[in-house]
Every structure is written in C-alpha cells, then in structure tokens.
Amino acid sequence: MQTRPYNFSAGPAAMPDDVLRQAAAEMLDWHGSGMSVMEMSHRGVHFGRIIEQAETDLRELLGVPADYHVLFMQGGALAENAIVPLNLSRAAKADYVVTGAWSQKSQLEARKYCDVHLAAQVDASHGYDRIPPLHTWQPRPDAQYLHYCANETIDGVEFHDVPGRFGLPLVADMSSTILSRPVDVAAHTCIYAGAQKNIGPAGLTLVIVHRDAVGHAIPACPSAFDYAVAARNGSMYNTPPTYAIYIAGLVFQWLKRQTEGSLQGIAAIAERNRKKAELLYRCIDASALYYNRVAKPDRSRMNVPFFLRDETLNEAFLQGAQSRGLLQLKGHKSVGGMRASIYNAMPLAGVQALVDYMQAFERDH
Amino acid sequence: MQTRPYNFSAGPAAMPDDVLRQAAAEMLDWHGSGMSVMEMSHRGVHFGRIIEQAETDLRELLGVPADYHVLFMQGGALAENAIVPLNLSRAAKADYVVTGAWSQKSQLEARKYCDVHLAAQVDASHGYDRIPPLHTWQPRPDAQYLHYCANETIDGVEFHDVPGRFGLPLVADMSSTILSRPVDVAAHTCIYAGAQKNIGPAGLTLVIVHRDAVGHAIPACPSAFDYAVAARNGSMYNTPPTYAIYIAGLVFQWLKRQTEGSLQGIAAIAERNRKKAELLYRCIDASALYYNRVAKPDRSRMNVPFFLRDETLNEAFLQGAQSRGLLQLKGHKSVGGMRASIYNAMPLAGVQALVDYMQAFERDH
C-alpha cells in the first residue's frame, strides 16, 4: 500500500518503502550487535557479513562472472570520468561515444589523461535525441577501450542492448540503468554506476571490472581510486561508505524478493519497467500538449523527459503535480521541461497516477 | 540513560543515541516532505536547507572564518593524501611531518605529485611514541605547504596545539580530532577530515580550505576532487553523499545542544574529552598490567592505545569486555594490543565502565 507521495527524482531517487522501514527499525541495533551499521568498524565481523552478502546478491542479480571484481567505491560517476582513464587508458588512446550530457562530460574529463577520439557522436544542436547507427561508428582499432553511457539520465536516451564491440574492451557508465534489466557483463571490461538511482544512497559507486584489466593504472592515479588497490583490499583500502553499502544490500535483497517465484530474476524487473515506460510514453505520444523528442527505439525506460508545447504552463503543471503527491518532476536545468524518473522503486501505480494527472491537466488547459 | 553497549571503535565509530533515534524517526518522511533524505534531489529545496544548516552549524562550532570554503567531499582522508597535493602542491615542493602511520601514508602518496621533504620524523623502530620537538623541525622555506596529522588514530599521538607555522601554509589531517576541541582554523590553509569519527558516517570527507589556496590544481587532478570546482558548485559538482551530510548535520545540532548554556561552545566538549582521557590514562599508568608508550604530553585524547604486559591475556581481555558490553577494543592490526577510541559520542560513564572492567580484570589475572 502506498502511503507516501510518488517521487520521480532522477537521483538521489525513490527507495523501496520496505528498505527504508527496515533501515529505520535496525538503526540503533543491527541484528543484536548493539550497534548501528553506521557505528561498526568496517573491518569487524558484522560489517564483513554485510558487505559479503551485498556482493553475493549483486553477483547473483546481475550474473557477474567470477573473473570480475565487484568494487564498492566513492565519488560517483563524475569521479569515474577521471578514474576510468586513470586505470584503463595506459595514457594512450581511448575512444568515446557521445549520446548525451553524461557521455559528453566523460570524454571531456578523459582528455586530461589520454588521447581521446569520438568514435561516434550526435549533433546536439537540437538536443541529444538518438543513438548514432552502429554502422557509422568509427573507433580506432588500437584504442584501449570504447566508452559509452548506457542510459543518458538527462536526455532520456538509452542503449537497450550492448552495442557492437568492434574488437575493443567496452566500458559502460550504467549509473541510471544498472539493475533495471539484464546486462551482459561479460561483454564489458568495466561497468560503473553511481548508486543513487537503482542501488542506494548517493556516495557509493559500484565498479565491476575484469580481473585482467586492473593493475595498469597510470602514476597519477590516487591509490584510493586504483582498481587494483581496491580489489586487493576487498574495497577496504580506504574506509568504504559502510552505511550506503548496507542500504544497497537491503535493496539487493528487496530486488531478490521481487523476483521470487520467477525463474527470470532481473528479467522480471525489466518486464515491469518496460510496462511502466510504455504506459508513460503512450500517454505522451497520444497527447497534443506533451512531447518527447527522442527517437522511439532509443527512448530510456528509466528517465522520461517530456515537454509542454505551451511552456507557460510549466509552473502550473508542477504545482498541480506536487499537490497530488507527484514529486520532483522538474526537468534538468540544462534542458528544461519535465522529467519522470521511473526507477525500480517506482511502482506501476505511480506511473498510472502520473498519467492520470497528465491527462486531467491536458483536459483542463 | 545508556541502553546500548559502549562502542570504542576507532571509526566508523559510536554515534550519539539521540542522532540515531532522530534519523530512524525521520527515515520515511523528513519534515513532512514525504521523502526520506536519501530520496531527495541534492538540488531540491529540502536538501538545500539541510546542507546549508549543516554548514552554518559547523562554521559556528569551529569558528570557521568567512574567507574559508567548507566543502563536503568523498573519499576519506586516504583519498585526501592524493587530493591535497593535487590541489595545493603546484607539482613543486611540499613538506611533511611524520608522527605516525597516517602521516607516513600521507607523505608516501604525495610523492606521486610533488617533491616531498620530511621536515621532521620519529624513528619508528619501536613505534611512533612522540612528536618531534618543534626546534628540530627543518621545513624548506620554499615549500608550498607543511602537512601534519593532528591526531594519529592508530598510534595515539596528538598535537594539542597548532605547531609552529614556520612561515608556511599549514595543512592538517584532523580526521580523528576535529570537533573534539577548539581549533585555530585561521592558522591553517587547509584542514581535512574523514567523517567517520566525530562527524558522521563513513563516505563523507570534510575540507576547510582558504579561498586563496584553491584554483591551482595540477592538470592531473580529477575535476570531482578539484577544490575550486567543488567550491564553485557548493559541493554539488558531483552528487554529494547526501544522507551522510544529513547525519553530520544532526551531529552538529547535537553538539550545539551539548554546549547550550555554556559560553565556551566546543571548549566545553574539549573539557569533557580531557576528563575522559585523564580517567583512562590514570588507570593505565597506575596499573602493573597495562601500559601506553606515548610520551605523556603527546598522548591522544581521542584514541588511547594500550597493551597488556602479558599478551597471552589479550583474548580473555577482549572476550570479557565484549560480555560486559564494551565493544570494539581490539587494537589496529599493525600495532596489536588494545585501543579505546573515546570520541565525542562516548560519555564519561562509558570510560568509567571500561576503567572498572580493566581494574577488575587486572585483579582477577
């Protein structure tokens, strides 16, 4: 039963009620330890159990092969824009595909550390609205890796499959799509994600990286952000964000409960997400007031930006939404308009409530 | 009233019960917002109020002058070992004082980015047990800064005053002493601290840096860790660890309540901490079983390492402590023995309970 408003924030984003309730109940005493998780030594037996279970559950949910490290780090995807080339570029060549604001930031930051080439990009003069066709991509065969952003949180552009590999190690920023659908981890050499969308609280960064890719950081790489150092120390070279890892672990457990009785695992989550997105896009496409400018096959199932043809109605739209318990719908300041982020924790009923409101608002204006 | 065990962890460490209770109560709905703090956009009005209040309270508690930035960052003190020289060394000369395991790590990491000279160090063949006399320090007059660790969490060695400035900008790692006593912020160009001792959850790093010191990062500095970028964006260039900042804010409010009715502010906290440390050191010094090897004037008031002359009793000591609700007393693995961390959240009654137990254990063995 929904007792709280529906929160469409792009991140930090809505968490499952069950997770928050459990966290509140355990706040002063985790499992009879006499301690809050916040108060535990990261090297103690209790937290050891927490981080181990979180890693096990994540590996199960995503099907992470055994020859990949799972690292719990800090700094978010923006820090990874530097940390990835520091670890993986060998100060040589790295290729990037630009499909939105996030991959654009990634390639700009990488230029500090290596020779960057844009294997593909979109003319963004009218906004990022599609993925360039794969046959137009021109990565360099001697690049150390090919980087793409699996879901552009601001622009609402998503890769629904792994793009061609072009014979290169693939690196993906999956911040706003991870755990929303099955991912072929083995097709990538490195996947990273800020936690604050589908994983848990801001301040935790998840890195999944192939064993053979670590250990080649360039000298300028801070030890705390060297994947090899993090892996060797079980993510405890620097004190990890313990409480955020604990919450992420609760989210993983929640996801497993959601998929119980289903042989599909995370595919069942993906199906639910597909339905949510479909409902919302159908409403937008059927409307004379709202529009979304992303090419249909490339539309994000997590972040749905939409605009009102009459922008003078924006404020009224947001106020009406707020008063109906539909929160944080304002679009990113760089693109304007609206954005509904509908991550795993958003139920279909929340999307339905938004659609009902959008239709009522259109009728009334 | 104490209802939970006493937790002597060095960090992540005990939190005030009041703070945990409030966090639990507000977990699903912060101040009628309908959201957990974990779920709020960092750019929204609600979180804006939280971070602003946290900064205001911190500035008041520490007396931070207006020409200093207060930055909420990520990575902990270990990441700062790189981030400080990336920001402040100009790839030139930087001088370090080594008084324990932490400052030793700091100077080693800094060598990646600049020309490091040890202005003073202790012969650590028998452990770090004192601060080298100031008249023996030999910093280079053309160093960009002089770095020291105000409190060595592992070794239990603490500077109780700002060391001489030697005409150089001072940089201090204050992770395990910040907010435990008044600090002359203006005597430093930069102070940094991992949060997980006296501030809040692991994963938050506090940086207090003079305005004029930022803006000179070397090219290898990741944008997310460039103090100037963080300052320009109000700590929101990358998504900050919002929940940890919220908890830190609750701790600051708790500290203010502790010092209410006192004109002294944080000096009242310091006096309480002095009494706690005195009680424990007196017990150790009066004992035939326990000893602490740090020179008396340099002993830490936050981290009290002690050893049993008969080390075969270590296990029995720890087990007895655990059964009496005295938790996480095992010393750091690199030095062995015991360590009682008695940060702000540890009441005098907790130290008294430890002393009572230590005396009983000595009588029984």
Side-chain angles (χ1 to χ4, degrees), chain B residues 29 38-39 54 139 156 178 192 205 235:
Chain B
D29 184 6
M38 253 178 239
E39 305 177 297
I178 196 157
Y192 63 91
T205 315
S235 298

Side-chain angles (χ1 to χ4, degrees), chain B residues 49-337:
Chain B
R49 277 161 53 199
I50 290 171
I51 194 169
E52 200 181 309
Q53 188 65 49
E55 179 174 339
T56 301
D57 288 339
L58 180 75
R59 283 185 179 274
E60 183 184 325
L61 284 162
L62 283 183
V64 179
D67 52 354
Y68 282 72
H69 298 297
V70 169
L71 308 177
F72 296 99
M73 302 187 74
Q74 298 182 49
L78 258 172
E80 287 298 322
N81 287 343
I83 295 168
V84 163
L86 281 163
N87 276 280
L88 305 179
S89 76
R90 304 191 187 206
K93 297 178 179 180
D95 285 13
Y96 282 72
V97 177
V98 174
T99 54
W102 278 97
S103 47
Q104 171 67 2
K105 282 194 184 189
S106 296
Q107 67 93 3
L108 285 175
E109 181 80 0
R111 287 171 194 271
K112 291 181 175 178
Y113 309 105
C114 56
D115 170 10
V116 169
H117 162 71
L118 300 188
Q121 59 180 313
V122 174
D123 168 18
S125 51
H126 300 289
Y128 296 102
D129 59 1
R130 65 192 183 285
I131 292 167
L134 288 189
H135 67 84
T136 67
W137 293 22
Q138 298 192 304
R140 295 173 294 187
D142 56 345
Q144 293 295 318
Y145 61 81
L146 177 60
H147 177 283
Y148 73 105
C149 177
N151 183 58
E152 291 281 358
T153 320
I154 292 175
D155 309 285
V157 173
E158 182 167 8
F159 285 86
H160 295 290
D161 289 300
V162 180
R165 295 180 66 170
F166 302 95
L168 292 174
L170 274 185
V171 175
D173 174 357
M174 293 210 174
S175 296
S176 51
T177 186
I178 196 157
L179 288 168
S180 74
R181 55 177 168 86
V183 165
D184 183 359
V185 174
H188 299 80
T189 202
C190 177
I191 290 169
Y192 63 91
Q196 66 270 22
K197 286 92 161 61
N198 268 326
I199 298 175
L204 169 64
T205 315
L206 185 68
V207 175
I208 301 170
V209 60
H210 194 278
R211 247 185 226 162
D212 298 343
V214 311
H216 310 287
I218 63 180
C221 185
S223 305
F225 302 117
D226 183 327
Y227 293 156
V229 174
R232 201 158 55 233
N233 290 280
S235 298
M236 295 203 193
Y237 174 72
N238 53 348
T239 310
T242 50
Y243 196 75
I245 291 169
Y246 155 70
I247 297 288
L250 296 185
V251 170
F252 301 156
Q253 291 272 323
W254 175 82
L255 277 171
K256 286 179 71 179
R257 288 197 301 274
Q258 301 302 299
T259 60
E260 257 169 29
S262 152
L263 289 174
Q264 297 180 287
I266 209 80
I269 300 288
E271 179 55 19
R272 191 193 294 183
N273 286 328
R274 195 190 56 73
K275 281 187 188 146
K276 282 153 52 184
E278 198 175 272
L279 177 63
L280 184 49
Y281 283 116
R282 210 187 302 131
C283 162
I284 292 167
D285 290 341
S287 145
L289 177 60
Y290 313 107
Y291 68 98
N292 164 289
R293 54 192 176 198
V294 178
K296 288 189 180 176
D298 303 330
R299 284 173 164 180
S300 169
R301 288 180 186 147
M302 290 288 105
N303 312 97
V304 181
F306 60 93
F307 302 86
L308 277 62
R309 290 189 199 279
D310 179 357
E311 296 206 335
T312 65
L313 293 175
N314 281 0
E315 217 28 66
F317 179 87
L318 286 168
Q319 281 180 16
Q322 173 87 23
S323 71
R324 278 163 189 76
L326 305 167
L327 307 184
Q328 306 203 90
L329 281 161
K330 194 171 180 176
H332 191 271
K333 60 183 177 181
S334 65
V335 293

Side-chain angles (χ1 to χ4, degrees), chain A residues 4 7 12 15 28 35 39-41 74-75 78 109 112-113 196 220-223 225 237-239 328, chain B residues 4 7 12 15 28 35 38-41 74-75 78 109 112-113 196 220-223 225 237-239 328:
Chain A
R4 301 191 305 146
N7 175 1
M15 305 275 298
L28 277 93
M35 294 180 280
E39 305 178 297
M40 293 175 181
S41 169
Q74 298 181 48
L78 257 173
E109 181 81 0
K112 291 181 175 178
Y113 308 105
Q196 65 270 20
C221 184
S223 306
F225 302 116
Y237 175 73
N238 53 347
T239 310
Q328 306 203 92
Chain B
R4 300 192 304 146
N7 174 1
M15 305 276 296
L28 277 94
M35 294 181 278
M38 253 178 239
E39 305 177 297
M40 292 175 182
S41 168
Q74 298 182 49
L78 258 172
E109 181 80 0
K112 291 181 175 178
Y113 309 105
Q196 66 270 22
C221 185
S223 305
F225 302 117
Y237 174 72
N238 53 348
T239 310
Q328 306 203 90

Side-chain angles (χ1 to χ4, degrees), chain A residues 130-172:
Chain A
R130 65 191 183 286
I131 292 168
L134 288 190
H135 67 84
T136 67
W137 293 24
Q138 298 192 305
R140 296 174 294 187
D142 56 345
Q144 294 295 317
Y145 59 81
L146 177 61
H147 177 284
Y148 74 104
C149 176
N151 183 58
E152 291 281 356
T153 321
I154 293 175
D155 309 284
V157 173
E158 182 167 7
F159 285 86
H160 295 290
D161 288 300
V162 179
R165 297 180 66 173
F166 301 94
L168 291 174
L170 275 185
V171 175

Side-chain angles (χ1 to χ4, degrees), chain A residues 97-112:
Chain A
V97 177
V98 174
T99 54
W102 278 98
S103 46
Q104 171 67 1
K105 280 193 185 188
S106 296
Q107 67 93 3
L108 285 174
E109 181 81 0
R111 287 171 194 271
K112 291 181 175 178

